[in-house]
Amino acid sequence: AQRVTQPEKLLSVFKGAPVELKCNYSYSGSPELFWYVQYSRQRLQLLLRHISRESIKGFTADLNKGETSFHLKKPFAQEEDSAMYYCALSAQGAQKLVFGQGTRLTINP
Amino acid sequence: KAGVTQTPRYLIKTRGQQVTLSCSPISGHRSVSWYQQTPGQGLQFLFEYFSETQRNKGNFPGRFSGRQFSNSRSEMNVSTLELGDSALYLCASSLGQESNQPQHFGDGTRLSIL
């Protein structure tokens, strides 16, 4: 079975501090992993995916197959990063996304 | 390009009724997926359609069904509504059926069952 775990429901950091949102997954094959973000009053949108290995809005995420993790990191948090973040997994050959429960990130001024 | 459009935005129904929700994908996108979002269960996959064929189905009762038309627009139907069906229903579209294709979400239809 596929499962995504985001252990922190709430995370609060100060502006300028580093931030790390944790994501662990369970899947026997080679997964496709994504981070989606939902800002206040906006629709759910893709932040980044592991296959593209890029940095979006200063965020990066590295797939660690040994630890089955895909943590999201940013070295210096900004107030506009406050949002709900979802980690999601897609099994090979399928468009079905399995989401974690989400982490609400709050950046304090 | 216009984003994914879902109609209606809000819907109020009573138990036992049925409801149809509509989704227009981004132009050129051929895959449409549906998700249910509730405070308790989070985001859960309902089903996915590609080229008018259901390719994947989540763990929901048969009261939940869907279809896709030749222009890629999709509808989902819920029959014999129950109180627990109250949720935000999200539609997402993507270019193709490959698992690494990102999905683009609509604003959702908020369904309330009285």
Side-chain angles (χ1 to χ4, degrees):
Chain A
Q2 300 145 33
R3 181 174 290 178
V4 176
T5 304
Q6 293 179 250
E8 303 132 332
K9 289 185 76 172
L10 302 169
L11 185 62
S12 182
V13 301
F14 286 101
K15 177 182 170 182
V19 62
E20 181 180 42
L21 289 85
K22 291 184 168 49
C23 171
N24 289 91
Y25 67 91
S26 173
Y27 176 56
S28 55
S30 292
E32 302 289 347
L33 284 153
F34 306 84
W35 276 99
Y36 281 84
V37 60
Q38 188 165 29
Y39 301 102
S40 179
R41 298 195 185 90
Q42 293 187 30
R43 60 182 59 182
L44 195 60
Q45 58 186 279
L46 177 70
L47 180 61
L48 54 79
R49 47 180 173 158
H50 90 271
I51 195 171
S52 54
R53 295 179 177 273
E54 56 193 344
S55 173
I56 305 291
K57 298 184 180 183
F59 285 98
T60 58
D62 289 318
L63 176 61
N64 186 323
K65 292 189 177 180
E67 295 183 358
T68 60
S69 68
F70 188 56
H71 303 327
L72 184 68
K73 299 177 184 178
K74 184 170 182 176
F76 307 103
Q78 298 172 292
E79 288 185 65
E80 53 264 34
D81 296 329
S82 293
M84 192 73 176
Y85 291 80
Y86 293 95
C87 182
L89 174 155
S90 179
Q92 270 185 317
Q95 270 282 309
K96 168 188 173 181
L97 284 172
V98 176
F99 284 90
Q101 289 290 87
T103 297
R104 182 167 296 282
L105 176 66
T106 302
I107 307 300
N108 300 303
Chain B
K1 268 186 183 177
V4 176
T5 305
Q6 291 187 247
T7 56
R9 289 294 308 278
Y10 303 92
L11 211 45
I12 299 175
K13 292 286 187 179
T14 56
R15 281 181 300 173
Q17 287 187 309
Q18 74 163 14
V19 68
T20 299
L21 312 182
S22 181
C23 173
S24 293
I26 292 172
S27 177
H29 284 195
R30 296 172 63 194
S31 173
V32 174
S33 299
W34 289 88
Y35 296 84
Q36 182 195 64
Q37 186 175 27
T38 58
Q41 299 298 316
L43 281 152
Q44 292 186 289
F45 173 79
L46 279 156
F47 28 66
E48 184 231 340
Y49 288 87
F50 181 82
S51 292
E52 301 178 67
T53 302
Q54 186 181 90
R55 289 206 320 139
N56 290 289
K57 191 177 192 305
N59 190 25
F60 279 83
R63 300 184 297 106
F64 291 80
S65 62
R67 59 178 176 167
Q68 186 180 34
F69 302 95
S70 57
N71 62 358
S72 294
R73 192 177 68 85
S74 177
E75 289 181 346
M76 69 163 278
N77 185 277
V78 189
S79 61
T80 322
L81 286 164
E82 300 177 0
L83 291 177
D85 297 333
S86 293
L88 180 67
Y89 290 88
L90 292 171
C91 169
S93 74
S94 66
L95 266 173
Q97 54 187 323
E98 296 79 19
S99 53
N100 60 14
Q101 289 285 334
Q103 295 186 27
H104 302 264
F105 285 82
D107 286 322
T109 293
R110 185 163 296 282
L111 176 62
S112 299
I113 311 302
L114 303 179

